[in-house]
Amino acid sequence: MKIKIISCFIIALLLSTTLQSQAVYNMGEMQKEKLGRGVVALRENPSEVVISWRYLSSDPESTAFNIYRDGKKIAEVPANAGTFYKDSYQATMATTYTVIPVVDNKESALLTGSYTLPANAPQGYINIPLIRPADGITLAGEQYDYSPNDASIGDVDGDGEYEIILKWNPSNAHDNAHDGYTGNVFIDCYKLSGQRLWQIDLGKNIRAGAHYTQVMVYDLDGDNRAEVVIKTSDGTVDGTGKVIGDANADYREPGNPKNQGRILTGNEYLTIFNGETGAAMQTIDYMPARGRLEDWGDARANRSDRYLAAIAYLDGVKPSVVMCRGYYTRAVLAAYDWDGKELTQKWVFDSNTPGNGDYAGQGNHNLRVGDVDGDGCDEIVYGQCTINNDGTGLYSTKMGHGDAMHLTQFAPSMSGLQVWSCHENKKDGTTFRDAATGEILFQIPCPEDVGRCMAADIDPNHEGLEMWSWGSGGIYNVKGELINENMVGLPTNMAVWWTGDLMRELLDKNFITKYDWEQGVCNRIAEFEDCLSNNGTKANPCLQGDIVGDWREEVLIRTEDNNSLRLYVSPINTDYRFYTFLEDPVYRISIATQGVAYNQPTQPGFYFGPDLTGSFRGYNFDKKK
């Protein structure tokens, strides 16, 4: 048994008034993914198989489901049960599970789904074998090898199910502050079966590190097939073997130890790739352009090569891709639309533009996207400032750069969206602000650099999400009240909805913990054996989010030998049935931007937790409590 389930809590619901969502998107007009049923099956132990599937907003509330094993019906799941089933079955060969919706006592073939559990499938996870890039040697004679790093998801072939787009990092990847050569960065596309569809080699003129390559995966033109957008350069090789630009160009700084391996000059491109084949469909000059290095804060590309990226529904209808550069000093964001044939620039925001001075130096090592001002269009929360959907500045807190932040509706009684963020300026500590105006709702000052913060609903005795950080001195509720000074063993890196209740669990390294609010401590409830996290102290998996199955989240993590990914699916039963979070734009984009620089966990554009009442995303608490 490769995943150890140690404990599980059942949470009682607290009565409160709730709002469905704080954004006012026109969901009827908005271009959305065509999601399939997301059926997944995994062997929990030798005699039990877990089956989980999606409940969609297009399903009537009265929808029941029939489950078939190799064509034989084995279960009827009623409309008041979760989309989860355990089959007592000891398979010795490949087994196909099919889930068919039942409406008005009749099976509907409109959106069925199936999954074939392989013979001798491992217990507790889906194994995804990888083709690891070959080891290499730098110009300085240093050896390096590869490990799977950040991943994203997208339906690249139009079948309604996600493929995995994976970034391979060389072992000599560097932070911008460090000199040295790096190996090439590779981007692969895999199906869950382990079939590799393509590989892109970004080439020697794209340096490896958390801040250089932000991979955007999304269906931008509405053809039900995701595209892939990446910063490229001369020598990038697409998924069909075609070279972009000059294959012989080499912009790496030679010998000089001060800048060795850095890329200070040369062409920079933005390329949109076909998600199914990896073919480069269009390449344009990268915007924001490098220009003079000194204009970004130094002459060594430490400041100029800080890249971010996002997907955003800037017009409330179609998704755009936003490519960004800089956040310590100058910050520039450029938005693009893709119509299937051409990338068209929508707008550019530049902190150097007269009147935008307050927006310089406000960016984070990540960003968030959501409709913060209620106009039905997305804004970009760029650290301590927010850029409006039309490419103008909305506001700046002027508190400067930070490492982490969280955007969601923090409590059902709160209007709009809020932001919890930490600060590096050794004075402002951690702040809780209104996402629409930047108004500080409460603040915990700190004379140190606060590098991490977390927000998750972990205590049902207090309304809404709880918040804490490295500099908070304890856990706070949305009123700014300290509710627990003890933070020993309380992670600040990632979070995940894993158990069958409405609380959120905490994900750190290769294990999940659950907060015991009565004892004020975290207990380990799951461990992913023989697996490793990524990105040093950030200790995140390749991806965390709702990838398959019911409304809960999965963990995609690499194995210790770097030869496989494992997709862990919760084996814990849940009686709750919610429409998949993937249909919420804020949540879906939080998956698309999760791996941008310093990874942050998913969060929806609405409150979710034990304070829910009434009818909520397909679940009626009043009927079922």
Side-chain angles (χ1 to χ4, degrees):
M1 184 68 171
K2 294 296 184 181
I3 175 171
K4 299 186 290 188
I5 303 301
I6 303 170
S7 64
C8 175
F9 294 95
I10 302 298
I11 310 299
L13 292 176
L14 299 181
L15 296 180
S16 180
T17 302
T18 187
L19 302 173
Q20 284 287 321
S21 177
Q22 289 303 293
V24 291
Y25 300 111
N26 186 336
M27 299 302 289
E29 295 291 328
M30 179 176 281
Q31 177 184 306
K32 300 180 290 292
E33 291 177 305
K34 185 179 178 181
L35 291 172
R37 190 56 70 185
V39 177
V40 65
L42 71 154
R43 181 159 294 288
E44 184 180 4
N45 57 54
S47 59
E48 282 189 305
V49 175
V50 167
I51 305 103
S52 183
W53 61 97
R54 293 185 188 124
Y55 178 41
L56 302 167
S57 61
S58 57
D59 293 327
E61 191 172 330
S62 61
T63 303
F65 294 94
N66 288 340
I67 301 177
Y68 290 79
R69 184 203 313 127
D70 291 332
K72 178 182 178 181
K73 187 164 77 171
I74 60 171
E76 297 179 356
V77 178
N80 62 353
T83 55
F84 180 95
Y85 181 77
K86 284 192 179 183
D87 180 26
S88 297
Y89 182 65
Q90 189 167 359
T92 57
M93 59 186 68
T95 305
T96 298
Y97 287 92
T98 303
V99 176
I100 302 179
V102 178
V103 181
D104 296 330
N105 297 317
K106 294 181 181 179
E107 289 190 348
S108 171
L110 291 178
L111 196 58
T112 63
S114 63
Y115 182 88
T116 298
L117 183 69
N120 303 314
Q123 294 180 32
Y125 59 87
I126 297 170
N127 187 63
I128 305 169
L130 303 174
I131 303 173
R132 185 152 57 112
D135 298 351
I137 302 176
T138 69
L139 293 177
E142 300 164 336
Q143 295 186 342
Y144 61 90
D145 56 18
Y146 283 88
S147 61
N149 195 252
D150 295 331
S152 190
I153 53 173
D155 176 11
V156 303
D157 53 14
D159 65 355
E161 307 302 339
Y162 289 127
E163 281 70 47
I164 296 168
I165 290 77
L166 174 69
K167 179 171 74 172
W168 287 96
N169 251 16
S171 55
N172 59 355
H174 285 302
D175 185 271
N176 298 52
H178 303 150
D179 303 313
Y181 292 109
T182 74
N184 291 12
V185 176
F186 295 93
I187 311 295
D188 287 3
C189 179
Y190 286 92
K191 299 188 78 67
L192 293 185
S193 64
Q195 177 188 359
R196 189 174 75 178
L197 299 185
W198 47 258
Q199 180 177 83
I200 295 169
D201 178 358
L202 291 183
K204 56 180 169 288
N205 294 313
I206 296 292
R207 204 163 185 246
H211 305 292
Y212 295 102
T213 296
Q214 318 306 341
V215 183
M216 289 295 100
V217 182
Y218 215 81
D219 176 14
L220 296 171
D221 58 4
D223 66 352
N224 296 320
R225 288 169 168 80
E227 290 79 40
V228 180
V229 183
I230 320 173
K231 180 181 181 289
T232 60
S233 186
D234 291 307
T236 294
V237 183
D238 77 2
T240 68
K242 182 180 178 180
V243 178
I244 294 173
D246 182 358
N248 297 317
D250 189 344
Y251 303 130
R252 296 172 296 179
E253 288 294 305
N256 183 349
K258 182 178 179 181
N259 290 326
Q260 186 182 72
R262 291 182 179 272
I263 299 169
L264 308 180
T265 61
N267 294 324
E268 299 179 295
Y269 305 129
L270 180 66
T271 302
I272 185 165
F273 297 89
N274 183 296
E276 187 169 12
T277 66
M281 296 188 290
Q282 186 182 5
T283 296
I284 61 176
D285 289 339
Y286 186 83
M287 181 70 189
R290 179 191 290 118
R292 289 181 69 252
L293 292 176
E294 292 81 359
D295 291 344
W296 301 90
D298 61 51
R300 304 177 62 229
N302 183 17
R303 295 295 188 251
S304 67
D305 283 14
R306 301 281 178 162
Y307 302 99
L308 302 175
I311 301 295
Y313 287 85
L314 298 172
D315 63 2
V317 178
K318 292 190 62 177
S320 301
V321 61
V322 183
M323 307 306 292
C324 317
R325 186 177 211 141
Y327 40 75
Y328 284 115
T329 50
R330 183 185 178 195
V332 186
L333 294 76
Y336 295 89
D337 290 335
W338 169 254
D339 63 3
K341 296 180 180 179
E342 185 177 8
L343 276 169
T344 303
Q345 190 175 100
K346 198 177 188 75
W347 50 252
V348 175
F349 176 89
D350 190 340
S351 65
N352 275 3
T353 299
N356 290 344
D358 287 347
Y359 294 82
Q362 302 303 312
N364 264 34
H365 286 302
N366 36 59
L367 40 65
R368 293 290 193 176
V369 175
D371 173 20
V372 304
D373 57 7
D375 63 357
C377 304
D378 280 334
E379 283 72 44
I380 300 166
V381 183
Y382 204 71
Q384 299 312 306
C385 64
T386 295
I387 310 305
N388 210 346
N389 63 289
D390 61 0
T392 61
L394 187 63
Y395 68 82
S396 173
T397 70
K398 296 183 279 189
M399 289 184 175
H401 166 74
D403 280 7
M405 63 178 172
H406 306 274
L407 169 75
T408 189
Q409 181 192 5
F410 275 66
S413 64
M414 302 186 76
S415 177
L417 302 175
Q418 296 81 42
V419 177
W420 173 244
S421 59
C422 53
H423 307 275
E424 281 195 350
N425 60 12
K426 298 184 179 181
K427 62 174 183 175
D428 284 318
T430 326
T431 55
F432 185 48
R433 76 177 191 252
D434 185 293
T437 66
E439 176 190 359
I440 303 301
L441 303 177
F442 73 82
Q443 179 175 6
I444 308 166
C446 182
E448 299 176 358
D449 175 349
V450 181
R452 300 285 189 284
C453 64
M454 178 55 63
D457 203 333
I458 60 173
D459 188 340
N461 295 303
H462 299 268
E463 185 197 10
L465 276 63
E466 285 68 51
M467 293 163 267
W468 61 98
S469 75
W470 282 2
S472 65
I475 304 172
Y476 284 75
N477 62 21
V478 295
K479 297 177 182 179
E481 299 169 338
L482 179 64
I483 62 176
N484 186 358
E485 294 182 354
N486 179 24
M487 289 181 56
V488 176
L490 188 65
T492 54
N493 282 331
M494 300 293 284
V496 61
W497 279 292
W498 183 260
T499 62
D501 57 45
L502 302 183
M503 309 300 293
R504 204 166 196 194
E505 287 68 54
L506 301 173
L507 172 63
D508 191 47
K509 302 182 178 69
N510 65 331
F511 53 83
I512 295 173
T513 59
K514 192 170 185 68
Y515 181 70
D516 181 341
W517 58 89
E518 294 180 338
Q519 300 297 322
V521 296
C522 275
N523 297 310
R524 190 173 298 191
I525 62 170
E527 183 176 347
F528 308 128
E529 296 181 347
D530 306 320
C531 293
L532 292 175
S533 59
N534 290 332
N535 302 319
T537 60
K538 285 74 177 174
N540 58 269
C542 297
L543 187 68
Q544 156 272 330
D546 186 5
I547 302 170
V548 293
D550 61 27
W551 58 272
R552 292 172 298 175
E553 297 181 305
E554 288 70 54
V555 177
L556 183 69
I557 192 168
R558 64 184 171 110
T559 55
E560 290 179 343
D561 62 9
N562 294 318
N563 289 325
S564 298
L565 296 178
R566 290 181 182 176
L567 182 63
Y568 284 92
V569 181
S570 176
I572 303 170
N573 180 59
T574 181
D575 292 328
Y576 294 110
R577 175 189 294 198
F578 297 108
Y579 301 144
T580 173
F581 286 2
L582 295 165
E583 294 183 300
D584 173 56
V586 176
Y587 182 88
R588 180 61 184 90
I589 290 173
S590 76
I591 290 181
T593 60
Q594 183 179 131
V596 171
Y598 291 175
N599 303 53
Q600 298 288 272
T602 54
Q603 282 170 326
F606 49 80
Y607 167 76
F608 186 82
D611 301 333
L612 291 171
T613 61
S615 180
F616 181 82
R617 298 184 65 80
Y619 189 94
N620 193 319
F621 289 92
D622 293 336
K623 286 183 179 180
K624 301 171 184 179
K625 63 184 179 182

